[in-house]
Amino acid sequence: MRRATTFAIGASAVIALTAAVISSSRAIGQREGELAAPEDGHWNRVNVLAAAGATPIQCPGCWFPRTQSENFDTLTPPELPPGWLATNALGPPPLWVTSNSGVPMPPADTAPNALFIDDPAVVSDKRLDGWFLDFFEDCCVQLTFRHNFNLEASDSDPNLGFDGGVLELSTDGGNTFQDILAAGGSFGSGGYNRTIAADRGSPIAGRQAWSGNSNGFITTVVSVPAIQKQGRLRWRMASDTSGANEVGASTAFT
């Protein structure tokens, strides 16, 4: 059985997801009636919309949005989009990859591909660094992605997870990362559903995360905070010493 890594991001999800898809879009707009930037230079607005049917945020100054998206379907597995970086801070291969097969089913939200990562039965910390972001002083930035995961979690406590995935954000060009919530972001839907056990050696012990079984692809919508310097998104899947579920993950940005 193939195991995959994803994490609500890749493999349709990025964090320790087993088959998840992430989709997002970026838009830069101009205030109605303006042909050039005003004296304060602040007419640009960025809006990252979900490719999975999420309703665009209504924010002041957002007009004529243009979208930027990535669904991984034009890639040849296992290659990642240009500029994306997969690393294992702990644990054995594989790394995050683009995949058109694996578990949990379905392996992709939009055929044929998604980002994928496994959930090994040892301590691991598998990271996927995606887009660089630059929206200084812009408002209403939203990221939407689809992900499918089946990660080890408690059968008796619905709030407790053992292996899990998280979304992190760098606000200094990718040098350091923190959880999207700690960075000032918030979930509109599809947020973390469990807290990772603190006594099993997980690299994300004690943190909120996606864990357990999503029972297919789900949609996550995240409001991203303003970034003063260049930012970057990271999907991260971490496992502990207690075993593993079937895991595969796919990520699609659309």
Side-chain angles (χ1 to χ4, degrees):
M1 178 187 301
R2 179 178 178 184
R3 296 176 186 270
T5 77
T6 167
F7 153 32
I9 221 189
S12 301
V14 165
I15 282 187
L17 306 182
T18 72
V21 168
I22 294 181
S23 52
S24 66
S25 58
R26 178 176 179 178
I28 299 177
Q30 181 174 349
R31 291 185 182 134
E32 186 176 25
E34 290 180 348
L35 298 179
E39 292 182 0
D40 64 4
H42 291 168
W43 59 259
N44 279 346
R45 293 294 182 269
V46 177
N47 186 18
V48 182
L49 310 174
T55 301
I57 287 180
Q58 301 299 316
C59 61
C62 278
W63 299 93
F64 311 113
R66 291 176 295 167
T67 62
Q68 174 181 315
S69 63
E70 172 62 70
N71 64 12
F72 313 108
D73 291 338
T74 61
L75 300 174
T76 300
E79 70 180 13
L80 297 174
W84 288 54
L85 176 66
T87 58
N88 282 1
L90 288 171
L95 302 174
W96 281 89
V97 295
T98 297
S99 174
N100 57 16
S101 63
V103 293
M105 297 297 289
D109 191 50
T110 60
N113 297 334
L115 296 185
F116 181 91
I117 191 64
D118 68 328
D119 179 14
V122 296
V123 174
S124 70
D125 187 351
K126 303 193 174 194
R127 304 172 179 184
L128 177 66
D129 296 353
W131 286 320
F132 283 99
L133 306 174
D134 186 5
F135 39 83
F136 175 69
E137 289 189 349
D138 290 319
C139 83
C140 313
V141 179
Q142 189 179 84
L143 168 69
T144 299
F145 60 92
R146 298 265 294 161
H147 53 119
N148 178 17
F149 54 91
N150 186 7
L151 303 171
E152 188 191 16
S154 172
D155 293 329
S156 59
D157 185 347
N159 298 312
L160 184 66
F162 301 135
D163 301 344
V166 293
L167 176 63
E168 298 182 336
L169 176 68
S170 171
T171 58
D172 58 6
N175 292 314
T176 61
F177 287 82
Q178 58 183 327
D179 191 87
I180 187 68
L181 298 180
S186 61
F187 290 110
S189 63
Y192 299 143
N193 63 333
R194 298 197 182 216
T195 298
I196 301 301
D199 59 351
R200 299 192 178 204
S202 171
I204 57 171
R207 289 176 54 173
Q208 295 182 75
W210 291 287
S211 187
N213 192 339
S214 65
N215 294 307
F217 280 88
I218 62 172
T219 300
T220 291
V221 180
V222 188
S223 293
V224 182
I227 296 174
Q228 301 302 307
K229 297 181 180 180
Q230 189 179 55
R232 195 170 197 183
L233 294 166
R234 168 179 286 174
W235 287 265
R236 183 179 175 190
M237 194 289 297
S239 57
D240 62 19
T241 59
S242 61
N245 278 8
E246 66 170 14
V247 177
S250 62
T251 306
F253 280 87
T254 309

PDB file of all heavy atoms in Angstrom, residues 16-54:
ATOM      1  N   ALA A  16       0.236  16.656   6.681  1.00  0.00           N
ATOM      2  CA  ALA A  16       0.036  15.271   7.001  1.00  0.00           C
ATOM      3  C   ALA A  16      -1.239  14.827   6.413  1.00  0.00           C
ATOM      4  O   ALA A  16      -1.997  14.109   7.014  1.00  0.00           O
ATOM      5  CB  ALA A  16      -0.026  15.118   8.481  1.00  0.00           C
ATOM      6  N   LEU A  17      -1.499  15.271   5.242  1.00  0.00           N
ATOM      7  CA  LEU A  17      -2.747  14.864   4.628  1.00  0.00           C
ATOM      8  C   LEU A  17      -2.469  13.671   3.789  1.00  0.00           C
ATOM      9  O   LEU A  17      -1.415  13.489   3.292  1.00  0.00           O
ATOM     10  CB  LEU A  17      -3.257  15.958   3.730  1.00  0.00           C
ATOM     11  CG  LEU A  17      -3.364  17.251   4.440  1.00  0.00           C
ATOM     12  CD1 LEU A  17      -3.916  18.290   3.542  1.00  0.00           C
ATOM     13  CD2 LEU A  17      -4.168  17.115   5.679  1.00  0.00           C
ATOM     14  N   THR A  18      -3.404  12.918   3.566  1.00  0.00           N
ATOM     15  CA  THR A  18      -3.170  11.780   2.704  1.00  0.00           C
ATOM     16  C   THR A  18      -3.820  12.014   1.403  1.00  0.00           C
ATOM     17  O   THR A  18      -4.300  11.424   0.907  1.00  0.00           O
ATOM     18  CB  THR A  18      -3.764  10.554   3.291  1.00  0.00           C
ATOM     19  OG1 THR A  18      -5.114  10.644   3.184  1.00  0.00           O
ATOM     20  CG2 THR A  18      -3.340  10.284   4.651  1.00  0.00           C
ATOM     21  N   ALA A  19      -4.280  12.827   0.950  1.00  0.00           N
ATOM     22  CA  ALA A  19      -4.892  12.931  -0.332  1.00  0.00           C
ATOM     23  C   ALA A  19      -5.645  14.184  -0.253  1.00  0.00           C
ATOM     24  O   ALA A  19      -6.808  14.199   0.021  1.00  0.00           O
ATOM     25  CB  ALA A  19      -5.823  11.798  -0.602  1.00  0.00           C
ATOM     26  N   ALA A  20      -4.958  15.251  -0.440  1.00  0.00           N
ATOM     27  CA  ALA A  20      -5.647  16.488  -0.267  1.00  0.00           C
ATOM     28  C   ALA A  20      -5.338  17.402  -1.393  1.00  0.00           C
ATOM     29  O   ALA A  20      -4.329  17.288  -2.027  1.00  0.00           O
ATOM     30  CB  ALA A  20      -5.207  17.131   1.011  1.00  0.00           C
ATOM     31  N   VAL A  21      -6.214  18.315  -1.633  1.00  0.00           N
ATOM     32  CA  VAL A  21      -5.974  19.260  -2.709  1.00  0.00           C
ATOM     33  C   VAL A  21      -6.077  20.659  -2.176  1.00  0.00           C
ATOM     34  O   VAL A  21      -6.966  20.971  -1.428  1.00  0.00           O
ATOM     35  CB  VAL A  21      -7.004  19.106  -3.816  1.00  0.00           C
ATOM     36  CG1 VAL A  21      -6.919  20.255  -4.763  1.00  0.00           C
ATOM     37  CG2 VAL A  21      -6.760  17.819  -4.548  1.00  0.00           C
ATOM     38  N   ILE A  22      -5.184  21.493  -2.603  1.00  0.00           N
ATOM     39  CA  ILE A  22      -5.247  22.867  -2.167  1.00  0.00           C
ATOM     40  C   ILE A  22      -5.409  23.740  -3.375  1.00  0.00           C
ATOM     41  O   ILE A  22      -4.694  23.602  -4.344  1.00  0.00           O
ATOM     42  CB  ILE A  22      -3.964  23.274  -1.491  1.00  0.00           C
ATOM     43  CG1 ILE A  22      -3.827  22.494  -0.232  1.00  0.00           C
ATOM     44  CG2 ILE A  22      -3.956  24.745  -1.239  1.00  0.00           C
ATOM     45  CD1 ILE A  22      -2.627  22.815   0.528  1.00  0.00           C
ATOM     46  N   SER A  23      -6.305  24.640  -3.292  1.00  0.00           N
ATOM     47  CA  SER A  23      -6.452  25.535  -4.401  1.00  0.00           C
ATOM     48  C   SER A  23      -6.487  26.953  -3.882  1.00  0.00           C
ATOM     49  O   SER A  23      -6.957  27.218  -2.801  1.00  0.00           O
ATOM     50  CB  SER A  23      -7.735  25.238  -5.166  1.00  0.00           C
ATOM     51  OG  SER A  23      -8.819  25.212  -4.311  1.00  0.00           O
ATOM     52  N   SER A  24      -5.929  27.839  -4.664  1.00  0.00           N
ATOM     53  CA  SER A  24      -5.930  29.217  -4.227  1.00  0.00           C
ATOM     54  C   SER A  24      -5.795  30.114  -5.433  1.00  0.00           C
ATOM     55  O   SER A  24      -5.407  29.694  -6.495  1.00  0.00           O
ATOM     56  CB  SER A  24      -4.766  29.480  -3.279  1.00  0.00           C
ATOM     57  OG  SER A  24      -3.565  29.344  -3.959  1.00  0.00           O
ATOM     58  N   SER A  25      -6.114  31.360  -5.252  1.00  0.00           N
ATOM     59  CA  SER A  25      -5.945  32.310  -6.320  1.00  0.00           C
ATOM     60  C   SER A  25      -5.577  33.648  -5.729  1.00  0.00           C
ATOM     61  O   SER A  25      -5.913  33.954  -4.606  1.00  0.00           O
ATOM     62  CB  SER A  25      -7.230  32.442  -7.129  1.00  0.00           C
ATOM     63  OG  SER A  25      -8.286  32.825  -6.295  1.00  0.00           O
ATOM     64  N   ARG A  26      -4.879  34.434  -6.509  1.00  0.00           N
ATOM     65  CA  ARG A  26      -4.426  35.720  -6.023  1.00  0.00           C
ATOM     66  C   ARG A  26      -4.957  36.805  -6.941  1.00  0.00           C
ATOM     67  O   ARG A  26      -4.923  36.668  -8.154  1.00  0.00           O
ATOM     68  CB  ARG A  26      -2.903  35.762  -6.002  1.00  0.00           C
ATOM     69  CG  ARG A  26      -2.348  37.111  -5.548  1.00  0.00           C
ATOM     70  CD  ARG A  26      -0.852  37.076  -5.457  1.00  0.00           C
ATOM     71  NE  ARG A  26      -0.313  38.370  -5.056  1.00  0.00           N
ATOM     72  CZ  ARG A  26       0.967  38.610  -4.867  1.00  0.00           C
ATOM     73  NH1 ARG A  26       1.844  37.653  -5.027  1.00  0.00           N
ATOM     74  NH2 ARG A  26       1.386  39.805  -4.504  1.00  0.00           N
ATOM     75  N   ALA A  27      -5.441  37.868  -6.367  1.00  0.00           N
ATOM     76  CA  ALA A  27      -6.010  38.924  -7.184  1.00  0.00           C
ATOM     77  C   ALA A  27      -5.491  40.275  -6.735  1.00  0.00           C
ATOM     78  O   ALA A  27      -5.314  40.517  -5.556  1.00  0.00           O
ATOM     79  CB  ALA A  27      -7.529  38.906  -7.086  1.00  0.00           C
ATOM     80  N   ILE A  28      -5.251  41.150  -7.683  1.00  0.00           N
ATOM     81  CA  ILE A  28      -4.852  42.514  -7.385  1.00  0.00           C
ATOM     82  C   ILE A  28      -5.839  43.430  -8.073  1.00  0.00           C
ATOM     83  O   ILE A  28      -6.060  43.327  -9.273  1.00  0.00           O
ATOM     84  CB  ILE A  28      -3.430  42.812  -7.879  1.00  0.00           C
ATOM     85  CG1 ILE A  28      -2.446  41.876  -7.182  1.00  0.00           C
ATOM     86  CG2 ILE A  28      -3.062  44.262  -7.621  1.00  0.00           C
ATOM     87  CD1 ILE A  28      -1.038  42.048  -7.642  1.00  0.00           C
ATOM     88  N   GLY A  29      -6.477  44.314  -7.332  1.00  0.00           N
ATOM     89  CA  GLY A  29      -7.514  45.145  -7.909  1.00  0.00           C
ATOM     90  C   GLY A  29      -7.221  46.624  -7.797  1.00  0.00           C
ATOM     91  O   GLY A  29      -6.231  47.041  -7.207  1.00  0.00           O
ATOM     92  N   GLN A  30      -8.106  47.434  -8.381  1.00  0.00           N
ATOM     93  CA  GLN A  30      -7.968  48.873  -8.365  1.00  0.00           C
ATOM     94  C   GLN A  30      -9.305  49.484  -7.995  1.00  0.00           C
ATOM     95  O   GLN A  30     -10.358  48.982  -8.380  1.00  0.00           O
ATOM     96  CB  GLN A  30      -7.533  49.359  -9.755  1.00  0.00           C
ATOM     97  CG  GLN A  30      -7.324  50.858  -9.843  1.00  0.00           C
ATOM     98  CD  GLN A  30      -6.746  51.248 -11.195  1.00  0.00           C
ATOM     99  OE1 GLN A  30      -6.334  50.387 -11.960  1.00  0.00           O
ATOM    100  NE2 GLN A  30      -6.729  52.522 -11.477  1.00  0.00           N
ATOM    101  N   ARG A  31      -9.299  50.574  -7.242  1.00  0.00           N
ATOM    102  CA  ARG A  31     -10.538  51.209  -6.855  1.00  0.00           C
ATOM    103  C   ARG A  31     -11.284  51.708  -8.085  1.00  0.00           C
ATOM    104  O   ARG A  31     -10.692  52.169  -9.049  1.00  0.00           O
ATOM    105  CB  ARG A  31     -10.259  52.385  -5.910  1.00  0.00           C
ATOM    106  CG  ARG A  31      -9.752  51.932  -4.554  1.00  0.00           C
ATOM    107  CD  ARG A  31      -9.598  53.098  -3.608  1.00  0.00           C
ATOM    108  NE  ARG A  31      -9.072  52.643  -2.340  1.00  0.00           N
ATOM    109  CZ  ARG A  31      -8.082  53.261  -1.700  1.00  0.00           C
ATOM    110  NH1 ARG A  31      -7.508  54.313  -2.211  1.00  0.00           N
ATOM    111  NH2 ARG A  31      -7.659  52.805  -0.543  1.00  0.00           N
ATOM    112  N   GLU A  32     -12.597  51.651  -7.996  1.00  0.00           N
ATOM    113  CA  GLU A  32     -13.438  52.023  -9.127  1.00  0.00           C
ATOM    114  C   GLU A  32     -13.155  53.451  -9.561  1.00  0.00           C
ATOM    115  O   GLU A  32     -13.101  54.375  -8.756  1.00  0.00           O
ATOM    116  CB  GLU A  32     -14.910  51.881  -8.725  1.00  0.00           C
ATOM    117  CG  GLU A  32     -15.871  52.113  -9.861  1.00  0.00           C
ATOM    118  CD  GLU A  32     -17.291  51.865  -9.429  1.00  0.00           C
ATOM    119  OE1 GLU A  32     -17.554  51.988  -8.218  1.00  0.00           O
ATOM    120  OE2 GLU A  32     -18.116  51.550 -10.291  1.00  0.00           O
ATOM    121  N   GLY A  33     -12.959  53.644 -10.862  1.00  0.00           N
ATOM    122  CA  GLY A  33     -12.760  54.972 -11.410  1.00  0.00           C
ATOM    123  C   GLY A  33     -11.327  55.442 -11.419  1.00  0.00           C
ATOM    124  O   GLY A  33     -11.023  56.508 -11.965  1.00  0.00           O
ATOM    125  N   GLU A  34     -10.394  54.697 -10.831  1.00  0.00           N
ATOM    126  CA  GLU A  34      -9.008  55.125 -10.788  1.00  0.00           C
ATOM    127  C   GLU A  34      -8.241  54.568 -11.969  1.00  0.00           C
ATOM    128  O   GLU A  34      -8.335  53.390 -12.285  1.00  0.00           O
ATOM    129  CB  GLU A  34      -8.341  54.657  -9.500  1.00  0.00           C
ATOM    130  CG  GLU A  34      -8.847  55.367  -8.264  1.00  0.00           C
ATOM    131  CD  GLU A  34      -8.153  54.864  -7.014  1.00  0.00           C
ATOM    132  OE1 GLU A  34      -7.477  53.827  -7.107  1.00  0.00           O
ATOM    133  OE2 GLU A  34      -8.288  55.524  -5.978  1.00  0.00           O
ATOM    134  N   LEU A  35      -7.441  55.409 -12.608  1.00  0.00           N
ATOM    135  CA  LEU A  35      -6.590  54.980 -13.703  1.00  0.00           C
ATOM    136  C   LEU A  35      -5.152  54.858 -13.266  1.00  0.00           C
ATOM    137  O   LEU A  35      -4.338  54.249 -13.939  1.00  0.00           O
ATOM    138  CB  LEU A  35      -6.698  55.978 -14.866  1.00  0.00           C
ATOM    139  CG  LEU A  35      -8.102  56.115 -15.478  1.00  0.00           C
ATOM    140  CD1 LEU A  35      -8.075  57.150 -16.598  1.00  0.00           C
ATOM    141  CD2 LEU A  35      -8.589  54.773 -16.006  1.00  0.00           C
ATOM    142  N   ALA A  36      -4.827  55.449 -12.145  1.00  0.00           N
ATOM    143  CA  ALA A  36      -3.458  55.379 -11.633  1.00  0.00           C
ATOM    144  C   ALA A  36      -3.533  55.336 -10.121  1.00  0.00           C
ATOM    145  O   ALA A  36      -4.543  55.691  -9.520  1.00  0.00           O
ATOM    146  CB  ALA A  36      -2.643  56.594 -12.092  1.00  0.00           C
ATOM    147  N   ALA A  37      -2.436  54.908  -9.507  1.00  0.00           N
ATOM    148  CA  ALA A  37      -2.422  54.827  -8.046  1.00  0.00           C
ATOM    149  C   ALA A  37      -2.559  56.208  -7.443  1.00  0.00           C
ATOM    150  O   ALA A  37      -2.007  57.174  -7.946  1.00  0.00           O
ATOM    151  CB  ALA A  37      -1.121  54.187  -7.579  1.00  0.00           C
ATOM    152  N   PRO A  38      -3.319  56.336  -6.347  1.00  0.00           N
ATOM    153  CA  PRO A  38      -3.439  57.617  -5.666  1.00  0.00           C
ATOM    154  C   PRO A  38      -2.120  57.999  -5.009  1.00  0.00           C
ATOM    155  O   PRO A  38      -1.170  57.229  -4.983  1.00  0.00           O
ATOM    156  CB  PRO A  38      -4.533  57.353  -4.621  1.00  0.00           C
ATOM    157  CG  PRO A  38      -4.440  55.889  -4.357  1.00  0.00           C
ATOM    158  CD  PRO A  38      -4.082  55.277  -5.680  1.00  0.00           C
ATOM    159  N   GLU A  39      -2.096  59.198  -4.437  1.00  0.00           N
ATOM    160  CA  GLU A  39      -0.861  59.702  -3.861  1.00  0.00           C
ATOM    161  C   GLU A  39      -0.310  58.816  -2.766  1.00  0.00           C
ATOM    162  O   GLU A  39       0.896  58.724  -2.572  1.00  0.00           O
ATOM    163  CB  GLU A  39      -1.093  61.117  -3.310  1.00  0.00           C
ATOM    164  CG  GLU A  39      -1.363  62.145  -4.405  1.00  0.00           C
ATOM    165  CD  GLU A  39      -1.548  63.531  -3.822  1.00  0.00           C
ATOM    166  OE1 GLU A  39      -1.457  63.655  -2.576  1.00  0.00           O
ATOM    167  OE2 GLU A  39      -1.760  64.485  -4.589  1.00  0.00           O
ATOM    168  N   ASP A  40      -1.204  58.132  -2.032  1.00  0.00           N
ATOM    169  CA  ASP A  40      -0.706  57.284  -0.945  1.00  0.00           C
ATOM    170  C   ASP A  40      -0.182  55.952  -1.462  1.00  0.00           C
ATOM    171  O   ASP A  40       0.418  55.189  -0.716  1.00  0.00           O
ATOM    172  CB  ASP A  40      -1.779  57.043   0.124  1.00  0.00           C
ATOM    173  CG  ASP A  40      -2.979  56.258  -0.405  1.00  0.00           C
ATOM    174  OD1 ASP A  40      -2.955  55.828  -1.570  1.00  0.00           O
ATOM    175  OD2 ASP A  40      -3.925  56.073   0.379  1.00  0.00           O
ATOM    176  N   GLY A  41      -0.411  55.672  -2.767  1.00  0.00           N
ATOM    177  CA  GLY A  41       0.150  54.460  -3.357  1.00  0.00           C
ATOM    178  C   GLY A  41      -0.459  53.175  -2.863  1.00  0.00           C
ATOM    179  O   GLY A  41       0.100  52.105  -3.027  1.00  0.00           O
ATOM    180  N   HIS A  42      -1.658  53.232  -2.272  1.00  0.00           N
ATOM    181  CA  HIS A  42      -2.223  52.059  -1.613  1.00  0.00           C
ATOM    182  C   HIS A  42      -3.447  51.488  -2.319  1.00  0.00           C
ATOM    183  O   HIS A  42      -4.283  50.871  -1.697  1.00  0.00           O
ATOM    184  CB  HIS A  42      -2.630  52.415  -0.168  1.00  0.00           C
ATOM    185  CG  HIS A  42      -1.442  52.686   0.696  1.00  0.00           C
ATOM    186  ND1 HIS A  42      -1.570  53.248   1.940  1.00  0.00           N
ATOM    187  CD2 HIS A  42      -0.129  52.482   0.500  1.00  0.00           C
ATOM    188  CE1 HIS A  42      -0.367  53.398   2.481  1.00  0.00           C
ATOM    189  NE2 HIS A  42       0.514  52.945   1.619  1.00  0.00           N
ATOM    190  N   TRP A  43      -3.567  51.666  -3.648  1.00  0.00           N
ATOM    191  CA  TRP A  43      -4.781  51.141  -4.266  1.00  0.00           C
ATOM    192  C   TRP A  43      -4.731  49.658  -4.543  1.00  0.00           C
ATOM    193  O   TRP A  43      -5.749  49.037  -4.808  1.00  0.00           O
ATOM    194  CB  TRP A  43      -5.132  51.893  -5.536  1.00  0.00           C
ATOM    195  CG  TRP A  43      -4.100  51.904  -6.637  1.00  0.00           C
ATOM    196  CD1 TRP A  43      -3.242  52.907  -6.941  1.00  0.00           C
ATOM    197  CD2 TRP A  43      -3.847  50.869  -7.601  1.00  0.00           C
ATOM    198  NE1 TRP A  43      -2.472  52.554  -8.021  1.00  0.00           N
ATOM    199  CE2 TRP A  43      -2.813  51.322  -8.452  1.00  0.00           C
ATOM    200  CE3 TRP A  43      -4.406  49.591  -7.821  1.00  0.00           C
ATOM    201  CZ2 TRP A  43      -2.333  50.556  -9.502  1.00  0.00           C
ATOM    202  CZ3 TRP A  43      -3.915  48.834  -8.875  1.00  0.00           C
ATOM    203  CH2 TRP A  43      -2.898  49.313  -9.703  1.00  0.00           C
ATOM    204  N   ASN A  44      -3.566  49.085  -4.499  1.00  0.00           N
ATOM    205  CA  ASN A  44      -3.497  47.643  -4.752  1.00  0.00           C
ATOM    206  C   ASN A  44      -4.147  46.869  -3.614  1.00  0.00           C
ATOM    207  O   ASN A  44      -3.944  47.164  -2.451  1.00  0.00           O
ATOM    208  CB  ASN A  44      -2.045  47.181  -4.893  1.00  0.00           C
ATOM    209  CG  ASN A  44      -1.504  47.457  -6.269  1.00  0.00           C
ATOM    210  OD1 ASN A  44      -2.266  47.742  -7.192  1.00  0.00           O
ATOM    211  ND2 ASN A  44      -0.201  47.389  -6.417  1.00  0.00           N
ATOM    212  N   ARG A  45      -4.908  45.867  -3.978  1.00  0.00           N
ATOM    213  CA  ARG A  45      -5.500  44.987  -2.992  1.00  0.00           C
ATOM    214  C   ARG A  45      -5.356  43.561  -3.491  1.00  0.00           C
ATOM    215  O   ARG A  45      -5.500  43.286  -4.676  1.00  0.00           O
ATOM    216  CB  ARG A  45      -6.987  45.306  -2.789  1.00  0.00           C
ATOM    217  CG  ARG A  45      -7.209  46.682  -2.133  1.00  0.00           C
ATOM    218  CD  ARG A  45      -6.670  46.703  -0.704  1.00  0.00           C
ATOM    219  NE  ARG A  45      -6.900  47.966  -0.044  1.00  0.00           N
ATOM    220  CZ  ARG A  45      -6.053  48.967  -0.069  1.00  0.00           C
ATOM    221  NH1 ARG A  45      -4.935  48.865  -0.750  1.00  0.00           N
ATOM    222  NH2 ARG A  45      -6.314  50.082   0.577  1.00  0.00           N
ATOM    223  N   VAL A  46      -5.072  42.659  -2.607  1.00  0.00           N
ATOM    224  CA  VAL A  46      -4.895  41.271  -3.000  1.00  0.00           C
ATOM    225  C   VAL A  46      -5.994  40.426  -2.391  1.00  0.00           C
ATOM    226  O   VAL A  46      -6.336  40.585  -1.235  1.00  0.00           O
ATOM    227  CB  VAL A  46      -3.530  40.743  -2.507  1.00  0.00           C
ATOM    228  CG1 VAL A  46      -3.390  39.275  -2.858  1.00  0.00           C
ATOM    229  CG2 VAL A  46      -2.410  41.548  -3.138  1.00  0.00           C
ATOM    230  N   ASN A  47      -6.529  39.525  -3.190  1.00  0.00           N
ATOM    231  CA  ASN A  47      -7.569  38.635  -2.688  1.00  0.00           C
ATOM    232  C   ASN A  47      -7.284  37.235  -3.198  1.00  0.00           C
ATOM    233  O   ASN A  47      -7.290  36.990  -4.393  1.00  0.00           O
ATOM    234  CB  ASN A  47      -8.939  39.108  -3.187  1.00  0.00           C
ATOM    235  CG  ASN A  47     -10.066  38.311  -2.578  1.00  0.00           C
ATOM    236  OD1 ASN A  47      -9.874  37.644  -1.569  1.00  0.00           O
ATOM    237  ND2 ASN A  47     -11.236  38.373  -3.168  1.00  0.00           N
ATOM    238  N   VAL A  48      -6.982  36.313  -2.301  1.00  0.00           N
ATOM    239  CA  VAL A  48      -6.737  34.934  -2.703  1.00  0.00           C
ATOM    240  C   VAL A  48      -8.035  34.166  -2.537  1.00  0.00           C
ATOM    241  O   VAL A  48      -8.520  34.006  -1.441  1.00  0.00           O
ATOM    242  CB  VAL A  48      -5.641  34.295  -1.843  1.00  0.00           C
ATOM    243  CG1 VAL A  48      -5.384  32.878  -2.308  1.00  0.00           C
ATOM    244  CG2 VAL A  48      -4.372  35.112  -1.958  1.00  0.00           C
ATOM    245  N   LEU A  49      -8.586  33.718  -3.657  1.00  0.00           N
ATOM    246  CA  LEU A  49      -9.895  33.090  -3.654  1.00  0.00           C
ATOM    247  C   LEU A  49      -9.761  31.598  -3.772  1.00  0.00           C
ATOM    248  O   LEU A  49      -8.830  31.082  -4.339  1.00  0.00           O
ATOM    249  CB  LEU A  49     -10.718  33.608  -4.845  1.00  0.00           C
ATOM    250  CG  LEU A  49     -10.746  35.125  -4.994  1.00  0.00           C
ATOM    251  CD1 LEU A  49     -11.468  35.485  -6.289  1.00  0.00           C
ATOM    252  CD2 LEU A  49     -11.454  35.745  -3.817  1.00  0.00           C
ATOM    253  N   ALA A  50     -10.763  30.888  -3.292  1.00  0.00           N
ATOM    254  CA  ALA A  50     -10.730  29.443  -3.392  1.00  0.00           C
ATOM    255  C   ALA A  50     -11.153  29.010  -4.765  1.00  0.00           C
ATOM    256  O   ALA A  50     -12.119  29.482  -5.306  1.00  0.00           O
ATOM    257  CB  ALA A  50     -11.659  28.863  -2.360  1.00  0.00           C
ATOM    258  N   ALA A  51     -10.432  28.054  -5.296  1.00  0.00           N
ATOM    259  CA  ALA A  51     -10.797  27.511  -6.581  1.00  0.00           C
ATOM    260  C   ALA A  51     -11.852  26.468  -6.404  1.00  0.00           C
ATOM    261  O   ALA A  51     -12.321  25.873  -7.340  1.00  0.00           O
ATOM    262  CB  ALA A  51      -9.577  26.900  -7.222  1.00  0.00           C
ATOM    263  N   ALA A  52     -12.196  26.203  -5.181  1.00  0.00           N
ATOM    264  CA  ALA A  52     -13.150  25.129  -4.914  1.00  0.00           C
ATOM    265  C   ALA A  52     -14.539  25.659  -4.611  1.00  0.00           C
ATOM    266  O   ALA A  52     -15.305  25.041  -3.915  1.00  0.00           O
ATOM    267  CB  ALA A  52     -12.660  24.296  -3.743  1.00  0.00           C
ATOM    268  N   GLY A  53     -14.831  26.851  -5.088  1.00  0.00           N
ATOM    269  CA  GLY A  53     -16.192  27.333  -4.967  1.00  0.00           C
ATOM    270  C   GLY A  53     -16.460  28.237  -3.784  1.00  0.00           C
ATOM    271  O   GLY A  53     -17.605  28.521  -3.468  1.00  0.00           O
ATOM    272  N   ALA A  54     -15.405  28.722  -3.120  1.00  0.00           N
ATOM    273  CA  ALA A  54     -15.621  29.601  -1.978  1.00  0.00           C
ATOM    274  C   ALA A  54     -16.092  30.971  -2.461  1.00  0.00           C
ATOM    275  O   ALA A  54     -15.759  31.405  -3.551  1.00  0.00           O
ATOM    276  CB  ALA A  54     -14.345  29.749  -1.168  1.00  0.00           C
TER     277      ALA A  54
END
